[in-house]
Amino acid sequence: MNSIVSPPLTVAKHEQGAEPIVRFRDLHRRFGDTPALDGVSLDIGKGEIVGLIGRSGAGKSTLIRCLNGLERVDSGEITIEGRRIDRLPERELQPLRRRIGMIFQHFNLLSAKTVIDNIALPLKIEGVAKPERRERARELLGLVGLSGRENAYPSELSGGQKQRVGIARALAARPALLLSDEATSALDPETTRSILALLKDINTRLGVTILLITHEMEVVRSIADRVAVIDAGRIVEEGPVWSVFANPQSDITTTMLASVRPQLPTEISARLKDEGDSVVLAIDTATSDAGKLLFDLQAQLGGRASLLHGGIERIQDRPVGRFFVSVPVDDLTTARQFLISHLARVEVLGHV
């Protein structure tokens, strides 16, 4: 009997500049009869951290390969810094690729080269003189917290240190866009947190735009400004991270959020039925008074609301709350009206 009432939560629209760093417009790409991209449109603004999230096979990798020019779209437009690239010949793509720094899941470091030579490699390919490229590499080693490890080899580094080298290498040519392709998937949780903190610091200090490709909502929640959810080659949802967490609009987003949002305890969900004296509600809120919403609901119902589970977290400096509450059947209409008037999203899960 799952019924949902979704009031028009205030969702801040992305403040776009005069020209996005990257613009995808109605991209289509098929492999045989299978659409890998099915009308993808998305803007990535200067200085943003945008999370592109989806399950395996959703279209993330194809989109990135099209952005790098490794795949060609069947139709649609891709622009980088205002220049359309989807029909450029390979020779003209090369300088544009240097505007994108890549961070890989498995680091992709050259085992026979030292840390400083790995970082300086993109500059060597560009023909930058050795003294200049080594100076730049040392500067980046300081930025990523690895000063003094210039002459170490990848085999002597931990996974987190290897990824820091990978980040430094990605920044060597001063790219406009940093592309993180599942960069933390091979790391333990503590190391993941340190790498995400580093990326956030780089974004803040250098103003580098970052596109995070991931299947982990925790990564998006930690540092992203906006999130776009891709499923079956389509962007099914997009918006500020706090608003998507507070009010997911698609089934796939709701499913992917299940691991990072409070869920009704199984011992309660197992007792839900179609009829009963009380109703169990799921309440989502992202207003400034989220912390006192339940107290006000209690007062409205004369103390007849019972908190079953839930809590509040801060996402992008906004309180985002998710609660599970039991109210008497006779109070359901009053409770709904009160919660909706306070811009909460309400779902009836069942009776107990």
Side-chain angles (χ1 to χ4, degrees):
M1 78 167 282
N2 296 348
S3 60
I4 301 175
V5 179
S6 299
L9 282 179
T10 302
V11 177
K13 291 186 178 180
H14 164 49
E15 298 275 338
Q16 296 187 22
E19 186 68 51
I21 290 289
V22 176
R23 172 172 284 167
F24 301 117
R25 282 292 175 269
D26 196 25
L27 301 187
H28 291 262
R29 180 73 171 106
R30 300 181 69 89
F31 296 102
D33 295 330
T34 303
L37 300 176
D38 193 15
V40 170
S41 294
L42 182 68
D43 287 352
I44 302 170
K46 181 177 176 60
E48 276 196 299
I49 301 179
V50 176
L52 178 66
I53 189 163
R55 293 169 168 168
S56 296
K60 304 189 301 296
S61 296
T62 300
L63 184 63
I64 297 318
R65 290 176 64 81
C66 290
L67 177 60
N68 281 333
L70 300 176
E71 293 277 357
R72 296 287 188 174
V73 294
D74 298 324
S75 62
E77 297 182 6
I78 304 173
T79 60
I80 298 178
E81 295 183 301
R83 184 177 183 187
R84 186 172 173 180
I85 69 163
D86 52 276
R87 292 292 180 263
L88 286 181
E90 180 65 24
R91 175 176 48 82
E92 295 183 47
L93 270 175
Q94 288 297 332
L96 287 172
R97 284 197 184 112
R98 289 196 286 270
R99 300 297 292 156
I100 303 174
M102 289 286 299
I103 310 170
F104 302 96
Q105 178 180 3
H106 296 295
F107 322 128
N108 288 15
L109 303 180
L110 299 178
S111 60
K113 289 188 176 293
T114 62
V115 162
I116 195 168
D117 287 335
N118 266 282
I119 295 171
L121 184 60
L123 300 177
K124 183 178 181 180
I125 293 172
E126 283 189 22
V128 176
K130 185 174 181 178
E132 183 180 343
R133 64 180 187 251
R134 291 178 75 86
E135 180 182 355
R136 173 66 174 162
R138 288 192 180 92
E139 172 189 325
L140 290 169
L141 275 169
L143 178 67
V144 301
L146 288 179
S147 294
R149 302 307 305 271
E150 291 92 337
N151 297 317
Y153 286 88
S155 61
E156 301 172 302
L157 304 179
S158 67
Q161 290 172 328
K162 290 176 184 177
Q163 195 55 283
R164 287 172 182 268
V165 174
I167 292 169
R169 180 185 57 191
L171 292 169
R174 295 180 171 84
L177 174 69
L178 199 58
L179 186 56
S180 170
D181 189 6
E182 300 281 8
T184 59
S185 294
L187 304 175
D188 62 74
E190 182 178 355
T191 305
T192 292
R193 286 191 291 272
S194 71
I195 293 298
L196 293 177
L198 174 61
L199 289 175
K200 182 67 175 178
D201 182 59
I202 287 169
N203 169 258
T204 301
R205 291 169 61 181
L206 304 183
V208 176
T209 305
I210 299 176
L211 177 58
L212 299 167
I213 312 303
T214 183
H215 64 277
E216 299 173 287
M217 274 293 188
E218 180 60 46
V219 170
V220 170
R221 178 173 62 181
S222 297
I223 65 168
D225 302 310
R226 280 193 301 133
V227 59
V229 183
I230 188 169
D231 186 44
R234 292 176 174 269
I235 301 293
V236 296
E237 189 160 358
E238 182 267 324
V241 173
W242 69 266
S243 70
V244 172
F245 271 66
N247 192 20
Q249 298 296 305
S250 69
D251 290 341
I252 183 64
T253 307
T254 301
T255 299
M256 297 190 76
L257 282 170
S259 64
V260 294
R261 300 171 82 214
Q263 302 297 313
L264 187 66
T266 54
E267 65 270 18
I268 299 175
S269 61
R271 294 192 289 114
L272 292 179
K273 51 190 177 182
D274 292 336
E275 296 182 358
D277 296 332
S278 297
V279 181
V280 176
L281 305 178
I283 303 168
D284 292 290
T285 178
T287 58
S288 58
D289 62 349
K292 63 189 291 288
L293 180 64
L294 294 186
F295 293 103
D296 293 340
L297 177 64
Q298 276 277 36
Q300 183 73 20
L301 300 183
R304 293 185 297 277
S306 299
L307 175 63
L308 303 175
H309 187 58
I312 297 174
E313 62 177 326
R314 295 197 72 84
I315 301 177
Q316 295 180 297
D317 291 326
R318 284 180 173 265
V320 175
R322 181 166 172 80
F323 306 103
F324 299 92
V325 173
S326 172
V327 302
V329 170
D330 293 343
D331 291 327
L332 175 58
T333 299
T334 301
R336 262 181 168 168
Q337 291 174 347
F338 173 82
L339 292 166
I340 292 169
S341 71
H342 285 72
L343 300 180
R345 179 176 182 265
V346 186
E347 180 180 358
V348 177
L349 300 180
H351 293 73
V352 290

